[in-house]
């Protein structure tokens, strides 16, 4: 069964802390994504990676960075967490051109609360 | 740019009712269209897709037809169950694109 695994389902951090959210996929997908999901706002793309060490900013990259040192792993980093980063974070992966091959595969999400 | 518009929720239905969730899109080319479902406490998963005009995607009793003339991809189910309660996202991807465009999601609540 194909799988995208996010390391933590629930995290509680304090303002100013550095936060790492880890995501691993076992499908040998080139593309990996980090989204943020908030009520009424849907999914917003934070960062996208199409290859190892390659990344592109999404719609809301401010306050975030990412790391992709290995193909299967894509990390989201909050350098200094703030309360407005309290949210659900979703990792996803895909193979190739979505217009032709289709779907994203999502992890179960990491719910981050920043106090 | 591309965009996807879904009807706002929540949509509240009784079990065995007919479901329609509207989705319209704007795209520069000829996109593929998708419906994803997010059950409570889980990530999104693909429900169905259609890759060209007049295609019908179907899965688990849900259907959606790619209507190029009305730029729509409405989701339908003839008889909903309590277990269908979830958030449904419409999405599109253009040929050659790696990043999909999502709608904001529509919450469906089905009562026994």
């Amino acid at each position: 069964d194909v799988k995208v695994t996010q390391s933590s389902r629930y995290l509680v951090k304090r303002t100013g802390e550095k936060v790492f959210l880890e995501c691993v996929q076992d499908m040998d997908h080139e593309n990996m994504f980090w989204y943020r999901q908030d009520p009424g706002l849907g999914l917003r793309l934070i960062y996208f990676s199409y290859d190892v060490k390659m990344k592109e900013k999404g719609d809301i990259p401010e306050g975030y960075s990412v790391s992709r040192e290995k193909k299967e792993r894509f990390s989201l980093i909050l350098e200094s967490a703030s309360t407005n980063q309290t949210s659900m974070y979703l990792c996803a992966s895909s193979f190739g051109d979505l217009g032709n091959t289709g779907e994203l595969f999502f992890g179960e999400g990491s719910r981050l609360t920043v106090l | 740019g591309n965009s996807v518009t879904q009807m706002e929720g929540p949509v509240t239905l009784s079990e065995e009712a007919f479901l329609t969730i509207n989705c319209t899109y704007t795209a520069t080319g000829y996109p593929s269209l998708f419906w994803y479902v997010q059950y409570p406490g889980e990530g999104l998963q693909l429900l169905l897709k259609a890759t060209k005009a007049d295609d019908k995607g179907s899965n688990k009793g849900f259907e959606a037809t790619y209507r190029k003339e009305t730029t729509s991809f409405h989701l339908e189910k003839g008889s909903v169950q309590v277990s269908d309660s979830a958030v449904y996202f419409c999405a599109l991807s253009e040929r050659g694109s790696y990043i999909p465009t999502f709608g904001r999601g529509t919450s469906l609540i089905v009562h026994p």
Side-chain angles (χ1 to χ4, degrees):
Chain A
D1 202 13
V2 295
K3 213 163 171 69
V4 177
T5 303
Q6 295 185 229
S7 56
S8 304
R9 292 296 303 274
Y10 301 95
L11 304 93
V12 180
K13 299 292 182 180
R14 296 210 174 272
T15 301
E17 280 193 77
K18 191 169 185 175
V19 181
F20 292 88
L21 299 179
E22 305 283 343
C23 175
V24 176
Q25 50 95 3
D26 65 1
M27 296 166 279
D28 201 34
H29 284 168
E30 298 100 338
N31 309 318
M32 296 188 75
F33 307 77
W34 275 107
Y35 285 92
R36 172 176 171 159
Q37 183 178 18
D38 299 290
L41 298 177
L43 298 174
R44 293 182 290 169
L45 182 64
I46 305 172
Y47 268 98
F48 160 64
S49 170
Y50 54 91
D51 201 352
V52 175
K53 297 191 188 295
M54 306 305 289
K55 62 186 179 185
E56 285 190 11
K57 294 180 180 179
D59 301 317
I60 53 162
E62 297 79 18
Y64 303 94
S65 62
V66 290
S67 172
R68 190 155 180 214
E69 297 296 319
K70 293 185 177 182
K71 190 176 185 179
E72 68 269 19
R73 187 179 297 269
F74 192 35
S75 302
L76 180 69
I77 303 154
L78 288 67
E79 294 288 343
S80 178
S82 63
T83 55
N84 63 12
Q85 293 178 309
T86 292
S87 188
M88 171 70 87
Y89 291 88
L90 291 168
C91 176
S93 71
S94 72
F95 172 73
D97 166 6
L98 291 174
N100 286 318
T101 61
E103 65 185 295
L104 262 61
F105 293 84
F106 283 84
E108 292 189 314
S110 298
R111 184 166 293 282
L112 172 66
T113 302
V114 183
L115 302 175
Chain B
N2 296 341
S3 67
V4 174
T5 303
Q6 292 181 233
M7 57 192 293
E8 288 200 23
V11 173
T12 304
L13 296 172
S14 298
E15 205 164 24
E16 299 183 1
F18 184 85
L19 168 72
T20 300
I21 300 178
N22 291 336
C23 171
T24 57
Y25 68 90
T26 304
T28 52
Y30 300 96
S32 293
L33 301 174
F34 306 84
W35 277 101
Y36 286 83
V37 59
Q38 183 180 33
Y39 297 106
E42 299 183 12
L44 281 71
Q45 58 186 273
L46 182 69
L47 180 60
L48 54 84
K49 68 180 180 183
T51 57
K52 62 183 187 298
D54 300 324
D55 269 2
K56 178 185 282 188
S58 62
N59 187 23
K60 299 182 181 180
F62 291 88
E63 292 183 341
T65 301
Y66 189 143
R67 300 284 187 205
K68 186 166 174 287
E69 63 277 10
T70 55
T71 61
S72 65
F73 193 54
H74 304 321
L75 183 68
E76 297 182 335
K77 187 175 186 184
S79 176
V80 294
Q81 305 300 312
V82 171
S83 57
D84 294 326
S85 297
V87 180
Y88 293 82
F89 291 88
C90 186
L92 70 83
S93 290
E94 297 263 26
R95 301 283 186 274
S97 171
Y98 298 88
I99 300 176
T101 301
F102 282 93
R104 291 195 173 187
T106 302
S107 175
L108 170 66
I109 301 168
V110 181
H111 294 292

